[in-house]
């Protein structure tokens, strides 16, 4: 899902034309890794363009971030957002985590899907009534959002998705398409958008620069390995086995961590829907098997869940690692800190290179 060079050039030209730049400090603001986000620092405001991941060359949203209290320039074209945000309705724990990291946790005054927020501050705020529970993200409670009257609603867009009554409220909807980036550093670079929303650009840039540095250091360790274990992930569910495509986020992480991935030649940036037979044919000899489960399982329980699991080499030679998602913050941590997950994978794939305990994944056991 990569944009052609011509489309990128045209998009940049349009952005440049739309910004009245300061003569003192010209700033292209272009992203180094993210392909669905552009930030342009203009005179009196910041222009943010979220590109449409499902229609290459098209724009999903354009925002004009105007410092609170400043006059809105007449020439701007886009949704005006007053920054820094003082009150935000946040749909995702992932975005809540990065807002907290930037020191703006107090701005989260409402959430959707509170049951998926693994942040004690958010849960406590909802219990005490300081944070509004706006209900299910698929059908949020409009009345509560109207009463909250947030500066912005921060959510993840979906292909052909709409927002129903929310669009009539007049509240800016910040569509964070970071999860559509197919590279770890591409997604992590979206922290720069939050740096603009909360007027802490320097802090966001510093955090991202440190992520890039650490990621590069860990990748360099894996680049020098002599043997690459073969890795597979997930399990068959309802007759379908979803595996990461060869040009997906996870496939890039596996490669950067020094692993061989059976579908590395595939060009899909999303998931592949395969049958058990297809996965077995390509990966029955995998050395490492990474799975996620709500609670830890033993090998006997894993085989009982699906008897053919025991046919894989990784099962027979005790190479299965599991992440009990109810007991970890994996989903919140890694999107903006891929170096954390990269380190985890190198610990598993090459324990001689990073002989440290794993943080999220644990070896499956035989039980008592």
């Amino acid at each position: 899902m990569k944009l052609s060079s011509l489309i990128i050039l045209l998009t940049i030209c349009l952005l440049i034309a739309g910004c009245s730049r300061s003569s003192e400090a010209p700033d292209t603001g272009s992203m180094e890794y993210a392909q669905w986000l552009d930030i342009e620092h203009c005179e009196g405001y910041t222009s943010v363009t979220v590109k449409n991941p499902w229609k290459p060359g098209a724009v999903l949203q354009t925002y004009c971030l105007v410092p609170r209290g400043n006059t809105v320039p007449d020439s701007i074209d886009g949704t005006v957002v007053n920054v820094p945000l003082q009150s935000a309705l946040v749909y995702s724990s992932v975005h809540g985590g990065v807002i907290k990291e930037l020191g703006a946790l107090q701005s989260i005054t409402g959430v959707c899907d509170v049951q998926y927020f693994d942040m004690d501050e958010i849960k406590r705020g909802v219990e005490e009534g300081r944070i509004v529970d706006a209900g299910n993200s698929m059908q949020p409670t409009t009345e509560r959002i109207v009463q909250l009257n947030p500066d912005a609603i921060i959510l993840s867009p979906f292909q052909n998705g709409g927002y129903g009554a929310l669009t009539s409220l007049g509240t800016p909807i910040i569509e964070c398409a970071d999860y559509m980036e197919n590279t770890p550093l591409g997604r992590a670079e979206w922290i720069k958008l939050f740096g603009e929303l909360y007027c802490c650009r320097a802090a966001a840039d510093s955090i991202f620069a440190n992520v890039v540095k650490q990621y590069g250091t860990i990748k360099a360790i894996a680049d020098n390995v002599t043997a690459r274990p073969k890795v597979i992930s997930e399990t068959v569910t309802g007759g379908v086995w979803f595996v990461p495509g060869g040009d997906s986020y996870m496939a890039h992480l596996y490669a950067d961590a020094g692993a061989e991935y059976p579908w590395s030649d595939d060009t899909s940036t999303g998931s592949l829907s395969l049958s058990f037979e297809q996965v077995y044919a390509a990966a029955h000899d995998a050395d490492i098997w990474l799975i996620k489960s709500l609670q830890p399982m033993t090998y006997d329980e894993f085989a009982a869940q699906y008897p053919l699991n025991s046919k894989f080499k990784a099962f027979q030679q005790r190479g299965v690692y599991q992440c009990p998602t109810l007991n970890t913050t994996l989903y919140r941590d890694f999107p903006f800190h891929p170096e954390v997950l990269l380190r985890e994978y190198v610990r598993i794939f090459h324990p001689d290179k990073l002989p440290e305990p794993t943080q999220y994944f644990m070896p499956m056991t035989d039980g008592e």
Side-chain angles (χ1 to χ4, degrees):
M1 298 175 65
K2 295 182 180 298
L3 297 173
S4 67
S5 300
L6 177 59
I7 291 175
I8 294 175
L9 179 60
L10 290 174
T11 302
I12 293 174
C13 289
L14 288 172
L15 289 169
I16 292 174
C19 287
S20 173
R21 297 185 178 282
S22 167
S23 59
E24 296 181 358
D27 187 352
T28 61
S30 60
M31 299 293 101
E32 186 175 357
Y33 301 93
Q35 61 176 325
W36 305 121
L37 177 69
D38 272 328
I39 297 175
E40 296 287 334
H41 302 130
C42 307
E43 187 173 1
Y45 70 101
T46 297
S47 178
V48 174
T49 300
V50 177
K51 304 173 188 177
N52 192 325
W54 303 282
K55 295 181 180 179
V59 171
L60 193 63
Q61 287 281 359
T62 300
Y63 304 102
C64 297
L65 311 186
V66 180
R68 194 172 293 278
N70 286 15
T71 301
V72 178
D74 295 332
S75 59
I76 66 174
D77 182 18
T79 300
V80 175
V81 183
N82 292 313
V83 295
L85 297 181
Q86 297 177 341
S87 172
L89 172 62
V90 180
Y91 276 39
S92 168
S93 181
V94 170
H95 298 141
V98 76
I99 291 171
K100 176 183 177 179
E101 186 173 9
L102 290 172
L105 184 62
Q106 72 284 352
S107 74
I108 302 178
T109 54
V111 295
C112 282
D113 296 332
V114 64
Q115 68 272 25
Y116 297 120
F117 273 79
D118 53 2
M119 302 170 64
D120 291 337
E121 302 94 334
I122 297 298
K123 292 180 178 179
R124 187 164 55 249
V126 171
E127 291 172 356
E128 296 174 355
R130 292 181 288 103
I131 297 177
V132 171
D133 179 359
N136 189 305
S137 60
M138 301 305 293
Q139 291 184 318
T141 307
T142 307
E143 293 80 3
R144 294 181 183 177
I145 298 174
V146 170
Q147 292 176 356
L148 178 63
N149 191 27
D151 296 330
I153 299 172
I154 300 175
L155 49 72
S156 300
F158 294 95
Q159 186 175 16
N160 301 320
Y163 306 113
L166 292 184
T167 57
S168 64
L169 299 182
T171 303
I173 299 176
I174 310 298
E175 298 190 89
C176 295
D178 54 290
Y179 78 99
M180 290 297 294
E181 298 286 346
N182 69 320
T183 64
L185 294 179
R187 184 172 188 182
E189 194 169 19
W190 279 69
I191 194 174
K192 293 181 180 179
L193 170 59
F194 289 87
E196 301 295 339
L197 291 172
Y198 288 97
C199 296
C200 51
R201 182 186 306 163
D205 288 349
S206 176
I207 291 171
F208 181 66
N210 189 51
V211 168
V212 172
K213 180 180 179 181
Q214 290 192 47
Y215 194 96
T217 298
I218 299 167
K219 181 179 181 298
I221 294 173
D223 285 343
N224 291 322
V225 299
T226 55
R228 290 176 168 255
K230 192 172 186 178
V231 62
I232 57 170
S233 62
E234 314 311 332
T235 59
V236 64
T237 304
V240 180
W241 195 323
F242 293 100
V243 303
D247 195 25
S248 68
Y249 185 103
M250 281 298 168
H252 284 287
L253 266 174
Y254 297 154
D256 291 346
E260 176 190 343
Y261 185 56
W263 296 275
S264 59
D265 292 335
D266 174 74
T267 59
S268 303
T269 57
S271 296
L272 301 175
S273 303
L274 305 178
S275 66
F276 178 91
E277 291 75 15
Q278 289 174 301
V279 174
Y280 186 78
H284 64 277
D285 58 345
D287 303 288
I288 302 292
W289 190 350
L290 303 171
I291 68 169
K292 302 180 188 70
S293 59
L294 294 179
Q295 299 286 357
M297 290 187 293
T298 65
Y299 277 98
D300 286 343
E301 291 169 336
F302 191 36
Q305 185 182 77
Y306 195 81
L308 293 179
N309 287 338
S310 63
K311 300 299 183 181
F312 284 84
K313 173 185 173 182
F315 183 102
Q316 296 169 354
Q317 297 190 2
R318 299 309 191 245
V320 181
Y321 286 76
Q322 58 184 325
C323 175
T325 56
L326 286 181
N327 302 326
T328 72
T329 56
L330 173 72
Y331 289 126
R332 172 162 59 89
D333 294 346
F334 82 82
F336 287 93
H337 283 283
E339 80 283 5
V340 172
L341 192 52
L342 182 66
R343 183 182 293 110
E344 184 85 342
Y345 285 160
V346 174
R347 287 169 176 167
I348 295 171
F349 303 157
H350 305 286
D352 58 320
K353 300 295 183 182
L354 283 182
E356 306 166 356
T358 53
Q359 181 177 352
Y360 300 101
F361 286 86
M362 62 178 66
M364 185 172 285
T365 67
D366 289 304
E368 298 181 359

